[in-house]
Amino acid sequence: MSLLDREMPDVVMTSDNLRTRKFPLVANLLVAVAALVVSAAVVLGTGIGNWVLVLVLGGVFYLAGLNFAAGRVEGKRAARNRMWQALIYTACLLAILPLASVVWTLISKGVARLDGDFFGSSMNNIGARDAGGGAYHAIIGTLEQVGIAALIAIPLGVLGAIYLVEYGRGKFAGTVRFFVDVMTGIPSIVAGLFVLSFWVLIVSPWFNDGQPQYSGFAASLALTVLMLPTIVRSTEEMLRLVPGPLREGSYALGVPQWKTILKVVLPTAAPGIVTGVMLAIARAAGETAPVLLVAGGLTRINFDPFDGGQASLALYVYQQAGDASKFAPDRAWTAALTLVAIVLILTIGAKLLARRNKLTR
């Protein structure tokens, strides 16, 4: 017996059925509806669970019914393929649902304070019974702290990755990779404690008449410690993905190595490097513990990151979420939505800038 006879025993290969029969979309939908109905009848009729169990059991019934119905129409092999395809789509949907839930929750609860007062005022002189107050000081602090940290971490991280990929050999390169891997997993509060013990308590008194000083710059240093390993590792992986013939062709034309890296390797890896950089920036923008330890978190506006404490949006959300005022939760949700929007805008802008690299012009 041939493979075709085993897969489709009831089909006779004639000129009328040379084309493979397809399982109709309407039948697929009917199987899904029937599975949900049976699942609801079993779960809700017996009272053993709620709608979550209905969906889970309905998915099991759907896969079983799809395998049986599609097998009768398309054959066993096509039915198995359709069943695994449904499983992949289901896994994708399950991965999207939490993200969609977070986005919907942020938008639905964050729009309550999307007004000019929120973006144009601070929490200075705002009491528990005051409905006003905003996050202007926290937005300024986040932009300055993350901006300074990016200015420090991006060049160091990219140059470190270039060294590891293009020049690094021997024990020193292995040591650098080891410490980068170790730094990737350190908690954010450890970075804050390091900057507190080194910069705030030892270095800052030299510039402040012997007195330790909290500052936004200290928070930037802590964020730099957190951003560096992410940028180094992501950039290193992107540089390793650049095809070797590109480098070899450049060397064959007599181009020196530094110029090959600058003109060939980096433009080719630019989209992936930008993705890693934005991942590091997103992590830094959402950190609370380092800012609380070394910047203090003021309620007033401070444009100078080198003089006095500063707030940040993540710290603002933390403070408002723990505030006893009935107006605080709305401020916290709007600040969280603002933080996500800032990161999203920066990510889209960076991806658009890196969309076209020099090699494809």
Side-chain angles (χ1 to χ4, degrees):
M1 179 180 292
S2 65
L3 178 62
L4 180 62
D5 294 332
R6 291 198 302 269
E7 293 290 337
M8 305 177 67
D10 300 329
V11 177
V12 179
M13 297 307 297
T14 66
S15 58
D16 296 329
N17 59 6
L18 287 178
R19 294 183 178 180
T20 305
R21 289 185 294 178
K22 296 293 184 182
F23 192 63
L25 177 61
V26 176
N28 200 334
L29 295 176
L30 289 176
V31 171
V33 172
L36 287 176
V37 171
V38 173
S39 176
V42 172
V43 174
L44 301 180
T46 57
I48 60 176
N50 54 14
W51 64 270
V52 177
L53 185 58
V54 170
L55 293 177
V56 174
L57 193 60
V60 175
F61 288 161
Y62 168 70
L63 292 176
L66 180 65
N67 188 35
F68 174 78
R72 301 295 296 177
V73 176
E74 297 177 322
K76 295 181 180 179
R77 177 177 296 180
R80 286 195 296 269
N81 177 71
R82 189 174 289 276
M83 185 184 69
W84 283 106
Q85 187 180 36
L87 278 173
I88 293 172
Y89 287 155
T90 302
C92 180
L93 181 62
L94 291 177
I96 292 175
L97 280 177
L99 177 62
S101 175
V102 170
V103 172
W104 172 252
T105 303
L106 277 175
I107 294 176
S108 61
K109 295 188 177 183
V111 296
R113 283 298 315 276
L114 281 178
D115 50 47
D117 181 61
F118 182 82
F119 294 102
S121 63
S122 68
M123 291 299 295
N124 196 28
N125 297 324
I126 299 296
R129 297 185 179 182
D130 296 328
Y136 180 58
H137 62 300
I139 296 173
I140 295 297
T142 295
L143 294 177
E144 291 185 351
Q145 293 162 21
V146 175
I148 294 174
L151 289 176
I152 300 173
I154 293 175
L156 291 178
V158 173
L159 290 175
I162 291 174
Y163 166 76
L164 291 176
V165 175
E166 303 292 340
Y167 300 99
R169 301 292 185 273
K171 294 183 179 180
F172 181 72
T175 304
V176 173
R177 288 192 183 92
F178 172 75
F179 280 106
V180 168
D181 292 337
V182 170
M183 289 177 62
T184 303
I186 65 171
S188 59
I189 195 169
V190 174
L193 288 172
F194 168 72
V195 175
L196 176 67
S197 60
F198 172 70
W199 181 267
V200 175
L201 299 180
I202 297 177
V203 178
S204 67
W206 297 352
F207 308 99
N208 193 41
D209 298 328
Q211 298 297 322
Q213 186 181 44
Y214 294 105
S215 65
F217 181 72
S220 298
L221 294 178
L223 299 181
T224 300
V225 174
L226 298 175
M227 292 174 62
L228 261 177
T230 302
I231 296 175
V232 172
R233 292 299 297 167
S234 60
T235 304
E236 181 184 1
E237 294 302 321
M238 291 303 103
L239 293 179
R240 291 188 185 280
L241 292 177
V242 176
L246 288 178
R247 296 182 177 89
E248 295 168 0
S250 179
Y251 297 152
L253 294 174
V255 180
Q257 186 176 10
W258 70 268
K259 202 166 187 178
T260 299
I261 296 171
L262 186 63
K263 298 293 185 179
V264 177
V265 177
L266 286 179
T268 305
I273 294 174
V274 169
T275 301
V277 168
M278 294 313 302
L279 179 64
I281 289 177
R283 181 194 177 185
E287 291 294 345
T288 303
V291 181
L292 181 62
L293 281 173
V294 300
L298 295 182
T299 58
R300 59 178 177 83
I301 300 171
N302 180 18
F303 290 97
D304 189 356
F306 300 97
D307 185 17
Q310 266 190 337
S312 71
L313 279 171
L315 181 58
Y316 181 87
V317 171
Y318 169 76
Q319 292 172 336
Q320 293 300 312
D323 199 311
S325 172
K326 66 178 182 179
F327 305 107
D330 289 340
R331 300 191 196 109
W333 282 112
T334 304
L337 179 61
T338 303
L339 179 59
V340 172
I342 290 175
V343 173
L344 179 62
I345 292 172
L346 291 176
T347 302
I348 293 175
K351 296 294 286 186
L352 290 177
L353 289 176
R355 190 173 182 177
R356 295 181 60 192
N357 61 68
K358 296 180 180 179
L359 293 182
T360 58
R361 288 180 181 176

